[in-house]
Amino acid sequence: MSGVRSWPDDGRFEAAVARGSYQHPRLSGITFDLESSVVSGRPGTEQAGSGPLLHALGASAVVFFGRRGPRGVALRCPTRDLGIGAARRYEKLAARRAASAPLALAVAEAEWIDEGVEIDGTWWPVIVMERVEGRSLAGEVEQVLGKNPAGLRGLARDWAGFVAVLGAADVAHGDLQQNNIFVTGDGRLKAVDLDGVWLPAVAHLPPDETGHRHYQHPRRQRGDWGRTVDTFSALVIYLSLVALAADPDLWERYHNGENLVFTDEDLAHPDRTPLWDRLSSSPDPAVRQLVPLLRELCHGPADSGQDLASLLDRHRHARTEGLVRPASLTRTTEHDDVNHWWVDPEAPRPDPDAVWFAPSETDGATTLHEYGRTAADSRTDEDGGTVDGGGASSNMPRVLVLAAAVFVVVFIGALVGFLTVLGP
C-alpha cells in the first residue's frame, strides 16, 4: 500500500470493523468488545458493553480488542504507511517465533494480512495479534510502588532476562517503552507493537519510526537499526526500575504519563537536568554506579554495539576493579557536552604513589596490569596468590651496586693518601 496519500483514521477503521467489512479467515468468528457507556438519566452509572468498539489509539495504528471463543484477539489497523518492509518483517518474525519457544513467550503472536479491512472499495492491511492479558509496564510499576516498592528490583531482574531472550533469538524490538511491554497474569513480560522489529533477514528494510522519544537515544536516526538497537532503551528502563525501588518519590516527581522517570530532555542533556542530580544521590549505591553508564551511552553513538547483559557485566567488572567511580553526589552548574563518565571534572588528581589500573584487552577475558609494571615484577606464591616483586625490593640491587662503587672510590682515595704520606 506504499504511495497511498491518505490512510483511514481510527474513526473510519472503527466503522468498517463494526459493520464487518472484512473477509479473511483469520478475522471470521471474532466478537469485538464494546466500551462501557453512561446509562441515560443516571450520571455516574455505566452499562458494560454498550458503547463504541473497545480500542486503543497509538501514533501509527488503532487496535480493536475482541475474542474468538475463549481466545483473545487484537486487531491492529495501521493509520499510516508502515513502509515497504512492514509485511516482510512480520512474516520473518512469525517464522522466528515459531522456531523459538522462549521468544514465543516474550513476543506476542502477530500475522500481517494485506487485504484486511475494506473501506470505500479499498482494502487496507491489518495485523491480527494475540490479545495479551495483563498490565502495561507503566501500570505494573505503579501497582508495585503502591504495595512494595522494593519489589521493583525483581521486576528489573525480569526485565534484564526478557531483553536477553530477545537477543538470544537474534531479535530486537526497536521501540521498547512502557506501553509496548505487558506483564501477564503469571508475571511474564511480553512485547506488543512489533512494527519496528529487527531480524537478520530484514536488516536491509528499516522501518520509518525510531521509537518513543522518552526511551530512545537522543540522536537516533532511521539508519540506527540493528541487533543491539534496544540496548539504550533497555538500560533506560532498567535504571528507572532500580531507581524507583530505592526512591519511590521519583514517580510523583518525574513520571508524566509517557515515561517512567526519564524524558527526552534528560537523555539529550545528561547531568544538566534535576533528575541526574537526584539519581546521583540515590540511597542505593547500585543506582549511583549505573548513572555514569547511562551518561556514557547518551554521549556515545545511538547503537552502542553491545547488548544489555554484556554492558552490565562489563560495568560490574570495571566497578569491582575500581575502573569506574560512582556518580558524584554534587554536580557543577555548568557541564561540558563532550564530558564522559570516565572523565569526572570534580575528581581529585591521581596520587602518584597510589596504585592505578588500566584494562588490557586480550583474546580471552579482560586482564588488569598496573601502570609501570611488567609480568616479571610479580610472581605467584604456592597458594596461587600474587606476591609483589616490584616496589622498594626491586630497587635493592641498584642500591647495593651504588654503595659498592662509593666504597671503592673512598678506599682508593684513602690508599693514595696513605702512600703519599709514606713518600720515597
Side-chain angles (χ1 to χ4, degrees):
M1 287 307 208
S2 180
V4 176
R5 293 183 177 180
S6 179
W7 282 56
D9 60 15
D10 57 302
R12 296 181 70 196
F13 267 117
E14 180 179 354
V17 172
R19 64 174 177 264
S21 297
Y22 44 80
Q23 60 184 14
H24 195 278
R26 285 296 307 272
L27 299 178
S28 64
I30 298 177
T31 301
F32 288 96
D33 294 349
L34 302 179
E35 295 181 358
S36 300
S37 62
V38 176
V39 177
S40 178
R42 299 174 60 186
T45 304
E46 292 187 342
Q47 181 178 351
S50 59
L53 294 182
L54 180 65
H55 68 280
L57 181 62
S60 58
V62 58
V63 183
F64 301 100
F65 302 96
R67 293 191 176 277
R68 182 189 290 110
R71 187 175 183 185
V73 178
L75 181 64
R76 182 176 176 81
C77 303
T79 53
R80 67 173 181 84
D81 189 351
L82 299 180
I84 59 174
R88 185 73 168 167
R89 289 194 296 272
Y90 273 99
E91 175 190 348
K92 291 300 181 182
L93 177 61
R96 182 63 59 91
R97 187 179 178 277
S100 170
L103 184 64
L105 292 174
V107 174
E109 180 185 1
E111 180 182 351
W112 179 278
I113 299 175
D114 274 322
E115 295 187 351
V117 173
E118 185 268 334
I119 299 177
D120 296 335
T122 301
W123 287 95
W124 298 92
V126 297
I127 303 103
V128 183
M129 305 183 66
E130 70 171 288
R131 181 175 179 174
V132 179
E133 309 282 358
R135 282 189 289 266
S136 68
L137 182 62
E140 181 72 8
V141 169
E142 189 166 28
Q143 181 81 3
V144 176
L145 280 174
K147 295 181 177 180
N148 176 28
L152 289 179
R153 294 190 181 93
L155 184 58
R157 289 191 295 271
D158 292 344
W159 173 252
F162 163 81
V163 174
V165 168
L166 297 186
D170 249 3
V171 170
H173 182 276
D175 187 18
L176 295 178
Q177 48 111 329
Q178 62 181 41
N179 293 321
N180 287 346
I181 307 298
F182 278 77
V183 181
T184 63
D186 57 0
R188 287 184 294 106
L189 294 166
K190 199 157 198 172
V192 298
D193 190 353
L194 308 169
D195 296 339
V197 70
W198 179 92
L199 302 100
V202 293
H204 61 296
L205 297 171
D208 294 333
E209 64 182 65
T210 54
H212 197 296
R213 70 185 191 280
H214 293 328
Y215 291 86
Q216 293 297 321
H217 194 282
R219 292 182 298 281
R220 183 183 172 188
Q221 301 295 323
R222 184 171 180 265
D224 297 313
W225 192 59
R227 181 185 178 278
T228 55
V229 71
D230 283 343
T231 299
F232 185 86
S233 52
L235 180 61
V236 168
I237 293 173
Y238 183 83
L239 176 53
S240 299
L241 293 175
V242 294
L244 284 165
D247 185 2
D249 290 341
L250 289 169
W251 187 255
E252 292 296 328
R253 176 67 179 82
Y254 295 103
H255 175 65
N256 63 17
E258 295 185 10
N259 69 337
L260 293 180
V261 293
F262 285 96
T263 66
D264 55 344
E265 184 72 12
D266 297 315
L267 301 175
H269 303 288
D271 286 340
R272 292 190 177 187
T273 64
L275 175 62
W276 289 91
D277 291 333
R278 181 76 171 257
L279 297 181
S280 295
S281 58
S282 171
D284 186 349
V287 175
R288 300 197 301 271
Q289 293 284 2
L290 285 170
V291 167
L293 181 58
L294 181 59
R295 185 194 308 150
E296 177 196 4
L297 263 61
C298 288
H299 283 300
D303 188 346
S304 67
Q306 302 179 69
D307 57 32
L308 181 64
S310 298
L311 194 70
L312 293 177
D313 284 345
R314 278 193 171 198
H315 187 66
R316 290 190 191 102
H317 173 74
R319 187 180 67 202
T320 301
E321 300 296 343
L323 294 173
V324 179
R325 288 184 293 271
S328 173
L329 299 183
T330 58
R331 309 302 305 176
T332 57
T333 55
E334 295 295 330
H335 300 280
D336 185 354
D337 278 339
V338 298
N339 180 39
H340 299 287
W341 66 268
W342 59 86
V343 183
D344 191 337
E346 298 176 359
R349 296 180 64 85
D351 179 357
D353 295 326
V355 177
W356 290 83
F357 297 90
S360 173
E361 295 294 337
T362 67
D363 291 338
T366 300
T367 58
L368 298 173
H369 300 295
E370 293 180 23
Y371 281 152
R373 300 179 64 178
T374 66
D377 292 329
S378 63
R379 61 184 174 83
T380 304
D381 64 14
E382 294 177 354
D383 294 327
T386 298
V387 179
D388 190 6
S393 61
S394 66
N395 291 325
M396 188 60 67
R398 278 182 260 176
V399 174
L400 294 176
V401 170
L402 180 60
V406 172
F407 176 82
V408 170
V409 171
V410 172
F411 177 79
I412 291 174
L415 181 59
V416 171
F418 176 77
L419 295 175
T420 301
V421 171
L422 292 179

